[in-house]
Amino acid sequence: MPDLHKSDSSPADSTPAGSSPSGAPSPRATTTRSAVSLTGTGLHLSFGTHHVLRGVDIAVDAGTTTTVIGPSGSGKSTLLRVLNRLHEPDQGDILLDGRSVLKDNPDELRRRIGMVFQHFNLFPHKTVVDNVALGPRKLKGLSKEEAREVALRQLEIVGLTNKADVRPARLSGGQQQRVAIARALAMTPEVMFFDEATSALDPELVKGVLALMADLATEGMTMVVVTHEMGFARNVSDSVLFMDRGAVVETGAPDQIFDDASSDRLRAFLSQVL
Ligand SMILES: Nc1ncnc2c1ncn2[C@@H]1O[C@H](COP(=O)(O)OP(=O)(O)O)[C@@H](O)[C@H]1O
Ligand SMILES: [Mg+2]
């Protein structure tokens, strides 16, 4: 089975520093925390009369990656936003490491879950390293020097140490997205969310970002990845969840989803995207 992170044809700077040529988990740790599980049960959310999530269940085992696939408007982004309580669910529960987080301070939860979006939203007037250092400095209270050190370590992991002191505009879209990943990792999250992280990138830049995401998965980060990259869903993720019209239609191992779909809706979706 092809393995994205084992690719040897990506540009030199798209291979995260420290990843071993074999693709085996490298000794460098992106996070010092141990992996945790993430569970959402019976999640409902309406915007006015629009019932956008209709009883969604999702269970991501510690250290595994779940990809969420489905047509546009099916509720994938909303699910991620509910899971980190950017939207409060109308019903249902969210558990991290087996414990409900609904009563926690939402800011605390968002510190435990790193999020990477389609649009990276880096501060254009700040250097790359300052963009990454901002979170640790403001939200974790590190000194300027400590935050810079943390940021440089994360930039090394995403293979961009040499871009630390330039402004984001000097970087390609793929490099900027890797900075956004470094920014999320700098907060030592326990879980990472990716929402169409490669959708805005030129095709030749997609591979480096996917390779970095595959690396994180291999290292045992718990991840939820909304993506149209079916190669990633099939080859990197441990389970795939197919959503349509606000509900989970099918969930299972990649082989089951891609080779043995049981619903017409999933078969129709796959015939359009594959
Ligand atoms: N903040 C919001 N207010 C009202 N409707 C929203 C909001 N966010 C999303 N929606 C609606 O919820 C549905 C699901 O959207 P979304 O989660 O973005 O889907 P996907 O990510 O699968 O494309 C869509 O019909 C969308 O228009
Ligand atoms: Mg979306």
Side-chain angles (χ1 to χ4, degrees), residues 47 50 52 71-78 87:
F47 294 113
H50 189 179
V52 173
S72 177
S74 57
K76 306 180 298 295
S77 297
T78 305
H87 297 306

Side-chain angles (χ1 to χ4, degrees), residues 119-186:
H119 299 287
F120 359 100
N121 297 324
L122 300 174
F123 287 109
H125 59 283
K126 286 187 186 295
T127 62
V128 162
V129 67
D130 285 348
N131 267 280
V132 179
L134 195 64
R137 189 153 155 65
K138 297 281 182 216
L139 298 171
K140 289 190 142 191
L142 299 192
S143 72
K144 204 174 167 190
E145 294 71 28
E146 287 166 335
R148 185 179 165 87
E149 206 172 295
V150 166
L152 286 173
R153 214 176 308 138
Q154 295 305 327
L155 287 175
E156 189 184 338
I157 286 166
V158 303
L160 288 172
T161 312
N162 58 340
K163 303 290 183 190
D165 293 308
V166 306
R167 303 261 160 101
R170 297 266 304 278
L171 272 54
S172 73
Q175 290 171 329
Q176 290 188 50
Q177 189 60 297
R178 278 150 52 202
V179 174
I181 295 171
R183 174 180 59 186
L185 292 174

Side-chain angles (χ1 to χ4, degrees), residues 50-142:
H50 189 179
H51 198 166
V52 173
L53 295 184
R54 299 164 174 262
V56 171
D57 293 320
I58 179 172
V60 187
D61 289 339
T64 69
T65 294
T66 293
T67 45
V68 180
I69 62 173
S72 177
S74 57
K76 306 180 298 295
S77 297
T78 305
L79 174 62
L80 290 187
R81 294 170 68 83
V82 164
L83 287 171
N84 73 3
R85 292 178 63 204
L86 285 167
H87 297 306
E88 294 291 347
D90 297 330
Q91 267 184 60
D93 202 357
I94 301 161
L95 300 95
L96 262 189
D97 209 10
R99 194 183 68 79
S100 176
V101 293
L102 282 183
K103 292 200 170 66
D104 293 357
N105 178 342
D107 290 335
E108 174 58 30
L109 176 63
R110 277 170 229 135
R111 256 170 252 174
R112 299 178 68 186
I113 301 178
M115 185 133 181
V116 176
F117 304 91
Q118 183 174 349
H119 299 287
F120 359 100
N121 297 324
L122 300 174
F123 287 109
H125 59 283
K126 286 187 186 295
T127 62
V128 162
V129 67
D130 285 348
N131 267 280
V132 179
L134 195 64
R137 189 153 155 65
K138 297 281 182 216
L139 298 171
K140 289 190 142 191
L142 299 192

Side-chain angles (χ1 to χ4, degrees), residues 69-72 76 227-231 233 242 257-258 265-274:
I69 62 173
S72 177
K76 306 180 298 295
T227 187
H228 297 298
E229 295 288 338
M230 295 301 141
F242 170 62
I257 294 291
F258 288 101
R265 273 197 274 175
L266 174 53
R267 276 194 293 272
F269 174 75
L270 291 176
S271 72
Q272 280 162 1
V273 297
L274 288 177

